[in-house]
Structures are given as C-alpha cells and as structure tokens.
Amino acid sequence: MHEAAPLALPQLSDDDLILVSLLGEGATAHVFRAWMADAGQWCAVKVMKEGKARMRQRFLDEARLLRGLSHRNLIKVLRVVDGPPPWFVREIADGGSLRDWCARFGKMPPHLAVDAAIQICKGVAVAHQAGVVHRAIKPH
C-alpha cells in the first residue's frame, strides 16, 4: 500500500490571500486555512475541486447567498470568486468543533449539549429563511 501524496495548495487569483494548510474536504471542495494580508486576519478558504463543473453554479449561488447573511451563529462569508477554480473566503472558527470539544473533555454534559443544539438550530433557521438548505451538518 502507498500513501497518497499531500494535496498541493492551489494558486488563487488574490495576492492578499496566503493559503497555509488543508483544514478539511467535502464531496465538492477543499477547505484551507489562510491569512488575509489586507485584512490582517485568519480565514478559511473553500475551493471547488477539479472535475465538479456541474456543481459550479450551485457552489457560487450558495456562497453569494450566505455572504448576505449575518447572525452570531453563522460563520460569515467574506469574499466570493468565480475562479477558475471557484472559491470563497469565510471567517474561521478557531475555537474548534463539537467533535474537538468532546475529544478534549469527554462526554458533553446534557445542559451544554442542549445549548449547543439550540445555537446550531438558530443559525440553521436563519439560513433556511434565506433559502439555504445545508445538506451535511456535522459535529465538526
């Protein structure tokens, strides 16, 4: 068995954006940790994978719709670029995920788990009211 080669950081059409490392990936995109030099802040950059051209318009439409949303339980979209490849910039949640919390502290007490679920539902409700349906809510 052989190991897969590490993913090369893509070149994007923004000189103020420095991709640093891969944070994760989904079916249609890779997500990178990046530094926005012009804003002086860390961010996450979601870049559409090659070979997903038929998903391009949905990817861009959702990113543009999310860019218009503002709620304390939603991570804000800061920029949307039509590529190639298409990509967008989001705020980054440095505090970690629910999965990270459980790995660090163990089983979440019921009152904290309920509060987390309520906060997630509040953010998802704002997105749903704007016509965004998240198809893959995960604890990370």
Side-chain angles (χ1 to χ4, degrees):
M1 248 183 153
H2 60 85
E3 272 186 47
L7 180 67
L9 299 176
Q11 295 296 313
L12 301 178
S13 58
D14 189 329
D15 293 337
D16 290 320
L17 199 59
I18 303 163
L19 300 185
V20 176
S21 61
L22 180 68
L23 288 174
E25 69 176 289
T28 60
H30 293 101
V31 180
F32 299 92
R33 182 177 184 84
W35 177 252
M36 281 195 319
D38 58 341
Q41 71 182 57
W42 289 102
C43 62
V45 179
K46 189 170 185 176
V47 181
M48 179 170 262
K49 292 179 178 179
E50 287 185 35
K52 301 293 180 179
R54 53 193 175 99
M55 302 292 289
R56 184 184 147 278
Q57 197 57 52
R58 181 171 24 169
F59 179 88
L60 290 167
D61 288 347
E62 287 182 9
R64 289 178 181 130
L65 189 56
L66 289 169
R67 187 172 188 192
L69 299 181
S70 180
H71 187 273
R72 66 181 289 250
N73 298 95
L74 295 174
I75 296 174
K76 186 154 183 59
V77 172
L78 305 170
R79 295 181 193 164
V80 180
V81 179
D82 192 357
W87 53 278
F88 63 91
V89 179
R90 298 185 85 160
E91 294 174 321
I92 195 160
D94 277 327
S97 67
L98 291 175
R99 180 179 284 172
D100 297 336
W101 194 96
C102 291
R104 184 171 179 191
F105 301 110
K107 186 177 171 183
M108 187 175 276
H111 71 281
L112 289 181
V114 168
D115 185 57
I118 289 169
Q119 298 306 315
I120 292 166
C121 288
K122 286 179 178 180
V124 169
V126 168
H128 281 196
Q129 288 170 354
V132 177
V133 177
H134 197 301
R135 291 175 294 279
I137 296 173
K138 303 173 189 88
H140 52 283

